[in-house]
Amino acid sequence: MPHDDQKGSRLSLLLFYFLAFLLLWEWLRPLDRFTDTKHTGFFIVFIGLTFLLTFFRMRWFVTVPFSVLFTLISVHILFYQGSIFDLSWVSSFLQDVYLNITLIQSGLWNDMIPSFRTLLFFVLLWLLVYLLHYWVIYQRRILFFFMMTVAYITILDTFTPYDATYAVIRIVLIGFFMLGLLYLERIKLMERIALPKTSVLKWFLPLSVFILAAVGFGLSAPKSDPAWPDPVPFLKKITNQERVPAGESKIGYGNHDESLGGPFQPDDTPVFTWQGKERTYFRVETKDTYTGKGWIETDTGMSYQLSGGQVENLWFDHKVETERSTVRVKVDEHYGYNHVMYPIGAKAIKPKQAVSLEMNGNTEQISPISEQAGEIRNMGRYTIIYNSPVYKLDELRKVKVRNNSEEYTFSDRFMQLPESLPERVRTLAAKLTQEHDNMFDKVKAVEDYLGSNEFTYETENVTIPKDHEDYVDQFLFETKMGYCDNFSSAMVVLLRSAGIPARWVKGYTSGEYKEAGNKNGSIYEVTNNNAHSWVEVYFPEQGWVTFEPTKGFTNPAVFTSSDTQDSGGSEGSSSPEKTKEEQKEEKKQAEKQKEKRETLESNKPSASHAHAGAGWYGTVAVLAALLLAAVLLYVFRSLWIPIFVVRRWKRRSDQIVFFEAYGALLKQLKRRGLPKRDSETLRDYAKRIDGKYGSEDMSKLTLRYERALYRNEDSVSLWNESRKLWENLIKRRWS
């Protein structure tokens, strides 16, 4: 640190640190809008505390342990369960770190797990705090970082959904105040003067008036329309859309569904393989609260342990006929989640590894118990015994939609709708269902409407709703194109608007056929492309029934009439009025249609954009690595720049090399915090340098330099005599 008389008052330092903190905060604000980065509060607190420790001049043996401890605690809270004092999670964390280092070495940036990305991000923020500390306190400059921040925010405003209107205003205010105040500090240092508070105030007040007036004028001035066209379509055109557009992500499962919409990029990264005799959907969790932008779980619910892996029947009434089935699952070793993927009706889950399971009572997600969660990267191999339901259409059609005054046998959270839901959504729901007198036909009417030619399955040209737009309303009335999240969310909202309880479910489809297998069934492979969302509807005295509104996908549920079965997952192929011959023919046609749809399903991407973020994760990781490398090169420039300087001038023997080399030495000394003062002669400066480090090297070199400069002695001869002395000085590590 510089001496106190060179730093100004402690109050000024605190103000500089505070403004630097606000400027760095602007880099974190947009992350939860265009990436899957959540819980940015941890990062904000981290940089704030790091700035405070730096302000109070805490030594490295305090700041380093604190930063490491804060990082580990944050990673534990975000990604691991159980007590932090149970150090068993540390072993799992270190294994993850080792695995991710090998992934980096292999160039598999997108496969890094979230906990390791978070660790890297904490390290990056730590280095940025140090860099800002050096710029502000030592160099008294902030223009470069200020311009980087402006460029960063404006690029995000142009190419992502982030609205930077107010961010730019905040950055301009913070940046101009810092530029003005730091310039005053540089004047005080160069002139070696101590200004009274009144003089500082005379500087500060006009500066504040000027900045506030400029910002006010910019806000109030009329704005003309853009003179240039939107650059995004142009960039897509010249690149032939080979790159993923801004806001586009790779598909796959993720934890965050709060903000749905936008395009996605296919990703065939394996998730798991399974063996069984019948195709089925694999559930991960359900969400009950629609916000207008996406889905959240307002009440995480109580988790209860599955004794011996036995799962309580939460889905069907005892009247529903079921068929016993078994699937054997093998999760890919790189899959970064430890939840169980299971079919509806799961009865028993038998992991190969010794792990106890628990189920969340609200989301119905099954995962290792809290005490073991940190030790389990994913579930590996496990077997599921489940009861596959066979619904009777006659029984389902007996169920009537109850009046609003009547309550269902469970909480009304499956009837929730946001107050901001546009009225035209409710009107459409009433129009679609008004001609039917039972719940099943009303549900099928909504499902058939979403499967009609009015809607298009689309993964690329999918928009993100603006702040004032509702996600479902935009899909139903504006774009009418999207993927599974659009279709499934729209169906749940329409059903709830019609008084029918429904919920949003996400997980995976059955994937693609891989090989014949053995007596246990065929083997299928599920990739990130098969991540999917669908709908479950509650029928009193029947239970939860699966529906599939997304075009091109086949409902895995089985419906039967009183006479025959239809395993195609549709309404059913028969009715009591039709003859058995007609029923058989329709059954054959339904089976053919099912085969076509399954073929289409196996070839079409089917995941939700909201859970994806791997594409952005990879981009952010690459940018973070490049920024980290740039920061390290800048911070340690005093180590590597002299090497290039020596190589540049060491072997030259011309008339001007001595003068250029001496100037390069002065520049290196300034970079190391030892600049020549304006009031000093070269000899005075050389004596100060020698006196500080107890040598005479700088004085000897300076005398020879002056002989060449002022006496016109042979500079080549003097340089050859001084070459080694100059090299030792410029390579010396000044502390």
Side-chain angles (χ1 to χ4, degrees):
M1 291 286 290
H3 297 294
D4 288 341
D5 60 349
Q6 295 177 329
K7 294 187 305 178
S9 67
R10 299 291 290 171
L11 184 60
S12 298
L13 279 180
L14 183 61
L15 176 61
F16 289 145
Y17 278 125
F18 178 68
L19 293 176
F21 164 74
L22 293 180
L23 202 58
L24 184 55
W25 189 356
E26 293 298 334
W27 287 71
L28 299 177
R29 289 177 183 270
L31 294 183
D32 59 351
R33 294 297 304 275
F34 71 96
T35 73
D36 279 348
T37 305
K38 302 296 179 182
H39 308 290
T40 53
F42 285 91
F43 306 123
I44 296 170
V45 172
F46 176 76
I47 61 176
L49 293 177
T50 308
F51 271 121
L52 276 178
L53 291 175
T54 307
F55 169 74
F56 287 113
R57 303 183 190 176
M58 295 297 179
R59 302 294 296 276
W60 67 269
F61 51 79
V62 175
T63 58
V64 172
F66 169 80
S67 301
V68 172
L69 185 61
F70 186 94
T71 300
L72 291 177
I73 292 175
S74 301
V75 170
H76 177 272
I77 293 174
L78 293 175
F79 300 102
Y80 296 90
Q81 299 181 8
S83 173
I84 192 171
F85 299 105
D86 182 7
L87 299 182
S88 58
W89 73 272
V90 177
S91 174
S92 177
F93 174 69
L94 293 177
Q95 291 177 5
D96 289 341
V97 170
Y98 174 77
L99 175 61
N100 281 270
I101 291 175
T102 60
L103 292 176
I104 292 176
Q105 294 173 342
S106 303
L108 302 175
W109 295 85
N110 290 341
D111 293 335
M112 291 190 301
I113 64 175
S115 61
F116 186 73
R117 296 191 186 101
T118 302
L119 174 65
L120 293 181
F121 198 55
F122 272 114
V123 174
L124 177 64
L125 291 176
W126 194 359
L127 291 174
L128 283 174
V129 169
Y130 172 78
L131 182 61
L132 284 174
H133 157 74
Y134 178 81
W135 274 339
V136 173
I137 305 305
Y138 285 89
Q139 297 292 321
R140 303 297 197 206
R141 300 180 187 276
I142 199 62
L143 179 62
F144 178 69
F145 190 76
F146 171 55
M147 296 306 298
M148 285 179 58
T149 306
V150 172
Y152 165 74
I153 292 297
T154 52
I155 289 173
L156 293 185
D157 183 67
T158 303
F159 296 100
T160 75
Y162 181 65
D163 184 2
T165 303
Y166 295 104
V168 171
I169 297 172
R170 292 192 301 266
I171 292 170
V172 168
L173 284 172
I174 298 168
F176 282 164
F177 270 115
M178 292 191 73
L179 289 172
L181 295 175
L182 288 173
Y183 182 72
L184 177 62
E185 288 296 315
R186 290 202 303 274
I187 292 177
K188 291 165 59 178
L189 288 176
M190 288 187 296
E191 300 298 333
R192 300 181 64 82
I193 58 176
L195 296 177
K197 293 182 179 179
T198 54
S199 299
V200 176
L201 191 62
K202 288 179 181 179
W203 175 280
F204 181 75
L205 288 179
L207 175 68
S208 302
V209 172
F210 175 78
I211 295 175
L212 293 176
V215 171
F217 178 78
L219 289 174
S220 59
K223 312 295 189 301
S224 60
D225 293 332
W228 292 351
D230 185 359
V232 176
F234 172 74
L235 294 176
K236 287 183 178 180
K237 181 179 180 180
I238 64 175
T239 58
N240 295 320
Q241 296 186 346
E242 292 179 354
R243 294 184 179 274
V244 182
E248 183 172 324
S249 303
K250 286 187 179 180
I251 68 178
Y253 175 83
N255 288 324
H256 305 292
D257 310 294
E258 298 92 339
S259 181
L260 301 178
F264 68 75
Q265 182 188 53
D267 180 16
D268 57 2
T269 301
V271 176
F272 65 95
T273 58
W274 65 278
Q275 184 176 18
K277 296 182 179 180
E278 294 184 0
R279 285 181 174 267
T280 183
Y281 280 4
F282 289 83
R283 308 165 90 248
V284 173
E285 60 182 337
T286 70
K287 296 290 180 69
D288 60 8
T289 302
Y290 175 68
T291 64
K293 299 295 182 184
W295 293 91
I296 62 174
E297 185 60 40
T298 52
D299 183 2
T300 56
M302 294 294 294
S303 296
Y304 59 92
Q305 187 169 345
L306 305 182
S307 177
Q310 298 297 311
V311 185
E312 180 184 354
N313 178 21
L314 305 174
W315 303 285
F316 321 123
D317 189 87
H318 65 280
K319 300 177 182 179
V320 177
E321 180 183 346
T322 60
E323 298 177 353
R324 181 67 59 90
S325 300
T326 301
V327 293
R328 292 165 175 81
V329 178
K330 179 184 178 182
V331 182
D332 187 89
E333 62 178 357
H334 297 301
Y335 188 62
Y337 300 94
N338 60 10
H339 52 237
V340 176
M341 287 76 76
Y342 64 96
I344 191 171
K347 183 176 179 61
I349 301 173
K350 301 177 180 179
K352 294 296 183 182
Q353 52 185 325
V355 55
S356 299
L357 302 174
E358 61 183 7
M359 173 183 278
N360 184 290
N362 283 344
T363 65
E364 297 184 358
Q365 183 177 97
I366 300 176
S367 57
I369 60 176
S370 301
E371 291 77 7
Q372 294 181 310
E375 304 173 0
I376 308 299
R377 175 177 174 79
N378 62 48
M379 289 298 298
R381 294 174 178 265
Y382 58 92
T383 300
I384 303 175
I385 300 174
Y386 69 101
N387 293 325
S388 179
V390 179
Y391 300 103
K392 295 181 179 180
L393 289 174
D394 296 341
E395 296 296 325
L396 294 177
R397 285 197 169 99
K398 291 179 182 179
V399 180
K400 306 297 181 181
V401 177
R402 304 188 179 186
N403 297 328
N404 294 334
S405 58
E406 298 185 59
E407 294 184 358
Y408 288 96
T409 58
F410 56 88
S411 170
D412 60 356
R413 62 194 181 100
F414 299 114
M415 298 288 289
Q416 173 273 340
L417 289 171
E419 295 181 359
S420 60
L421 184 70
E423 187 61 32
R424 61 179 179 176
V425 177
R426 302 178 190 271
T427 302
L428 176 61
K431 179 181 178 181
L432 293 174
T433 59
Q434 63 184 358
E435 296 182 358
H436 304 282
D437 62 352
N438 65 82
M439 183 181 291
F440 180 82
D441 288 338
K442 289 178 181 289
V443 174
K444 284 296 298 178
V446 173
E447 185 184 51
D448 292 342
Y449 174 72
L450 294 173
S452 67
N453 292 331
E454 289 195 37
F455 296 91
T456 304
Y457 185 92
E458 176 64 52
T459 62
E460 296 181 358
N461 188 23
V462 182
T463 60
I464 299 176
K466 299 179 180 178
D467 292 340
H468 65 279
E469 292 179 322
D470 183 273
Y471 174 67
V472 166
D473 178 81
Q474 181 199 54
F475 170 68
L476 290 174
F477 298 98
E478 305 297 337
T479 63
K480 293 191 176 183
M481 61 176 58
Y483 41 88
C484 57
D485 281 352
N486 300 90
F487 286 90
S488 58
S489 297
M491 183 171 181
V492 173
V493 170
L494 287 172
L495 291 178
R496 291 183 178 184
S497 299
I500 300 173
R503 65 185 178 186
W504 188 73
V505 189
K506 66 175 185 175
Y508 295 89
T509 61
S510 55
E512 299 181 3
Y513 175 85
K514 187 175 182 181
E515 56 183 278
N518 51 32
K519 64 178 182 180
N520 294 321
S522 301
I523 298 176
Y524 299 84
E525 181 180 56
V526 177
T527 68
N528 279 334
N529 284 333
N530 301 116
H532 191 53
S533 60
W534 60 93
V535 178
E536 290 179 354
V537 181
Y538 181 76
F539 286 74
E541 299 183 359
Q542 294 291 317
W544 290 101
V545 181
T546 300
F547 288 89
E548 177 54 89
T550 305
K551 298 192 70 171
F553 291 80
T554 304
N555 189 350
V558 178
F559 300 95
T560 67
S561 68
S562 57
D563 297 319
T564 187
Q565 291 187 350
D566 171 18
S567 59
S570 60
E571 175 180 337
S573 306
S574 59
S575 62
E577 292 79 8
K578 295 182 179 180
T579 64
K580 291 186 177 181
E581 289 74 19
E582 291 174 334
Q583 295 169 9
K584 290 180 180 179
E585 181 62 27
E586 289 187 2
K587 179 180 177 181
K588 291 180 180 179
Q589 295 297 326
E591 289 177 348
K592 291 180 180 179
Q593 184 66 19
K594 176 186 175 182
E595 292 177 359
K596 292 180 180 179
R597 288 185 177 180
E598 286 183 346
T599 302
L600 178 61
E601 173 188 341
S602 64
N603 294 326
K604 180 176 285 187
S606 55
S608 108
H609 161 75
H611 342 328
W616 267 108
Y617 271 141
T619 303
V620 171
V622 172
L623 292 177
L626 293 176
L627 182 57
L628 176 60
V631 170
L632 291 175
L633 286 173
Y634 182 85
V635 171
F636 297 105
R637 65 193 185 285
S638 61
L639 299 180
W640 59 268
I641 289 181
I643 298 175
F644 291 94
V645 173
V646 170
R647 288 183 178 179
R648 181 178 179 182
W649 281 289
K650 181 179 180 180
R651 304 192 180 192
R652 286 176 54 184
S653 298
D654 52 82
Q655 294 291 333
I656 64 172
V657 61
F658 197 179
F659 307 110
E660 292 182 354
Y662 190 85
L665 174 60
L666 295 183
K667 188 174 181 179
Q668 289 302 312
L669 292 175
K670 180 181 179 180
R671 183 175 285 116
R672 291 164 178 164
L674 296 168
K676 176 184 172 296
R677 298 167 185 164
D678 293 341
S679 59
E680 286 181 317
T681 64
L682 286 178
R683 292 188 183 186
D684 293 336
Y685 177 57
K687 288 179 181 179
R688 179 161 66 90
I689 297 297
D690 288 339
K692 191 173 183 64
Y693 298 104
S695 72
E696 297 180 354
D697 294 346
M698 188 65 181
S699 295
K700 293 178 181 178
L701 182 68
T702 301
L703 288 175
R704 294 174 183 173
Y705 172 77
E706 289 180 337
R707 287 164 57 189
L709 181 64
Y710 300 119
R711 299 182 185 179
N712 292 324
E713 294 186 18
D714 185 4
S715 61
V716 176
S717 176
L718 290 171
W719 168 246
N720 291 332
E721 295 175 8
S722 308
R723 192 196 311 268
K724 193 64 178 178
L725 186 63
W726 172 85
E727 184 177 346
N728 292 336
L729 281 169
I730 207 166
K731 286 184 176 180
R732 180 172 180 176
R733 294 194 61 181
W734 304 85
S735 58

